[in-house]
Amino acid sequence: MISGVLTFLSIGSYAQDNNGSISALLQDPLILFYITAGFLFVVSLLVIAVALYMLQVLRHMARNAAMERAEKLGIEYKEEPSLWAKFDKWTTDAVPIEKEATVMLDHNYDGIRELDNHLPPWWKWLLYGTIIWAVFYMIAYHVTNSLPLSIQEYDNEVAYAEEQVRKLQAANPGAQIDESTVQLVTDAVALSDGKSTFNNICASCHRPDGGGDIGPNLTDQYWKHGGSIQDIFKVVKNGVPNTNMVAWGGALSPEKMQNVASYVLSLQGSNPANGKAPEGDLFVPKAEEKVASDSLKTQASL
Ligand code: HEC
C-alpha cells in the first residue's frame, strides 16, 4: 500500500517536472507499472473498506446473540470493552473519570485542581526508545564508526559518482574533448582518421589538398578565425554563422573533430597548386605549437 502511495506521489511530481505535460509521462517505459500499481492501490483500499464494514456487521450480530443468551439465562449482560477502549486504556493508563477522586491532589487554584495520573505509557516508552536509540547511535556512529555520518555519506556518494565518470571516460576516451582541452595529435592512426573525415566531408569545399574553393585555403598561414588547434576545433565544432561553414559538432564526435583539425594543421605550408589567395590575418603559432606542427608534417609526408 505504501508503494502505491509513493507511486501516486511520483506520478504527480513527474508530471510537474515536465511542466505538467502528460505526453512525457506516456512515453515513460514504466507507465504500465504505474497504472497497475495505482490500480492495485485503489483496489486494496476498497477491499479494506469492505472488510472493515463486514467486521462491524459481525460484531453487531455477535453482540445481539450474546444479549439474547444472557436474557434467556436471566443474567445481566455485560459488554466486553471494545478493542479501541482496550487500546486507549493500554496506551494512556488514565484513571477513569468516575474514579478520579482517588488521584485528585489536595490543592485547589481558584477551582482548578490537579490529577495525579501516571505518565502515559505511550509517552514513557517513546522516551525509553529514544534513550536506547541514543546509546545505539552514539556507539555506532561515534565510537565504533561502523555507520557513516551524513558528511561521510555525502563523500561516499561523490566518490561513487566520480568513479562512474572515470569509468565512462575510460570506456569512451575523447568524448570529453572540447575547444579548451583539444590537443594537436600527431599519431598516424589519428591523422589518417582525420584525413578520411576531411576527404569525405570537407574536401568538397576546401579541396582534397586543402587549397580552398568555396571555403578558404587551409594550407597557408592566414586565417579568418585563428590558426591554433583550438581555433580550428572551434570553427569545425560550431561552424561560422551565415556562411557555408556549418557546425559539425552534432555529426562528428569530439575525437574525430580533434583528428580532422590536426590533419588540417598538417597541411600547413604544403602550398598546393592553384591554391586560393590568403584570407584573414597572418597567424604565427607559439613556439611549442610550431614544433608540434613540424612533427606533424614529417609524419604526414611519411
Ligand atoms: C559547404 C562548404 C564547406 C564544408 C563542407 C566545410 N567548410 Fe570549412 N569553411 C567553409 C567556408 C565558406 C568557410 C569560411 C567561413 C567564413 O567566411 O568565415 C570555412 C571556414 C573553415 C575554417 C576557418 C578558416 C579560417 O580562415 O579561419 C576551417 C578551419 C574550416 N572551414 C575547416 C573545415 C573542416 C575541417 C571541414 C570538414 C569537417 C569543413 N571546413 C567543411 C565551407 C565549408
Side-chain angles (χ1 to χ4, degrees):
M1 203 165 107
I2 289 174
S3 78
V5 175
L6 287 179
T7 310
F8 266 164
L9 289 180
S10 71
I11 289 183
S13 58
Y14 190 87
Q16 267 169 20
D17 284 352
N18 292 281
N19 301 328
S21 83
I22 276 295
S23 66
L25 178 64
L26 290 178
Q27 281 159 17
D28 196 304
L30 286 177
I31 184 70
L32 209 68
F33 167 75
Y34 290 147
I35 291 177
T36 318
F39 178 73
L40 286 181
F41 175 60
V42 172
V43 167
S44 51
L45 277 188
L46 283 177
V47 169
I48 289 172
V50 170
L52 283 177
Y53 179 73
M54 298 291 283
L55 197 71
Q56 206 54 26
V57 170
L58 272 181
R59 281 182 58 120
H60 190 74
M61 284 164 64
R63 188 162 161 268
N64 283 353
M67 272 163 99
E68 266 172 33
R69 209 175 48 227
E71 206 173 323
K72 256 189 225 146
L73 295 176
I75 49 174
E76 195 198 344
Y77 171 72
K78 244 176 100 191
E79 199 172 351
E80 270 267 295
S82 72
L83 272 182
W84 170 252
K86 282 189 206 159
F87 178 74
D88 188 52
K89 171 87 186 111
W90 177 64
T91 49
T92 60
D93 194 22
V95 175
I97 289 182
E98 54 283 7
K99 291 189 190 149
E100 265 181 358
T102 58
V103 287
M104 190 79 79
L105 294 179
D106 294 339
H107 44 242
N108 182 338
Y109 305 102
D110 293 339
I112 298 174
R113 309 195 61 185
E114 195 183 346
L115 296 177
D116 186 19
N117 266 316
H118 288 146
L119 285 173
W122 72 262
W123 188 91
K124 235 173 12 188
W125 285 108
L126 201 65
L127 176 70
Y128 297 153
T130 58
I131 294 172
I132 293 167
W133 170 250
V135 173
F136 166 79
Y137 186 93
M138 180 76 187
I139 293 175
Y141 284 88
H142 292 287
V143 180
T144 64
N145 291 326
S146 38
L147 290 170
L149 288 169
S150 328
I151 186 77
Q152 183 63 42
E153 275 182 7
Y154 170 79
D155 288 345
N156 289 349
E157 277 179 32
V158 170
Y160 175 77
E162 277 169 359
E163 178 60 28
Q164 298 299 102
V165 169
R166 257 195 304 281
K167 273 192 201 149
L168 268 180
Q169 282 175 349
N172 191 5
Q176 312 303 317
I177 300 170
D178 64 16
E179 41 273 53
S180 59
T181 59
V182 60
Q183 301 264 327
L184 187 69
V185 287
T186 53
D187 66 286
V189 180
L191 281 182
S192 83
D193 175 62
K195 182 176 183 169
S196 78
T197 305
F198 190 87
N199 287 342
N200 285 340
I201 50 185
C202 319
S204 53
C205 292
H206 292 281
R207 268 181 30 188
D209 57 15
D213 184 3
I214 298 169
N217 188 334
L218 299 175
T219 67
D220 57 30
Q221 284 185 289
Y222 291 81
W223 299 90
K224 296 168 91 172
H225 306 283
S228 71
I229 183 74
Q230 291 84 1
D231 296 327
I232 294 172
F233 183 92
K234 208 156 123 190
V235 168
V236 174
K237 182 178 172 188
N238 303 325
V240 181
N242 305 321
T243 71
N244 283 324
M245 181 65 196
V246 297
W248 294 97
L252 298 175
S253 73
E255 198 180 6
K256 280 208 170 297
M257 290 191 289
Q258 174 170 265
N259 292 345
V260 77
S262 298
Y263 176 72
V264 164
L265 277 180
S266 77
L267 301 174
Q268 277 292 291
S270 56
N271 202 10
N274 305 321
K276 239 177 136 184
E279 291 169 72
D281 304 321
L282 180 67
F283 180 85
V284 186
K286 290 187 219 112
E288 70 269 24
E289 280 173 6
K290 180 123 182 46
V291 174
S293 64
D294 282 347
S295 86
L296 259 184
K297 257 168 267 160
T298 339
Q299 286 229 8
S301 57
L302 287 177

